[in-house]
């Protein structure tokens, strides 16, 4: 067996992605509910704080900034 043959099966792969999306969704809604008057940078920092320990080798990307900006713009109901 080669390294290229080592991977999650389709069902497990889909569940991992669904779980990751759920964690992100929960964090966005939590920050939207608790930081309605925050700046984009404050919302961004809080999102990163909630996400960093939930993922192996977490690195914030442009998606986190997009959601921080959307929180500040009031695009998520608390």
């Amino acid at each position: 067996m080669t390294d290229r043959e080592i991977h999650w099966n389709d069902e497990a792969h889909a569940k991992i992605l669904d779980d990751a999306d759920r964690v992100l969704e929960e964090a966005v809604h939590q920050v939207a509910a608790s930081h309605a008057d925050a700046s984009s940078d404050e919302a961004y920092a809080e999102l990163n704080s909630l996400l960093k320990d939930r993922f192996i080798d977490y690195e914030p990307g442009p998606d986190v900034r997009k959601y921080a900006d959307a929180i500040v713009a009031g695009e998520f109901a608390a």
Side-chain angles (χ1 to χ4, degrees), residues 31 39-51 64-65 68:
V31 173
S39 70
S40 181
D41 287 341
E42 291 167 333
Y44 180 78
E46 184 62 21
L47 283 171
N48 283 311
S49 173
L50 293 171
L51 295 170
V64 178
R65 175 58 68 187

Side-chain angles (χ1 to χ4, degrees), residues 1 4 13-14 18-19 29-31 33 37 43 46 54-56 59 69:
M1 183 173 281
R4 298 189 127 226
H13 191 259
D18 287 345
D19 289 348
H29 285 289
Q30 183 176 341
V31 173
D37 297 331
E46 184 62 21
R54 302 291 305 269
F55 297 97
I56 298 169
E59 293 290 331
D69 291 343

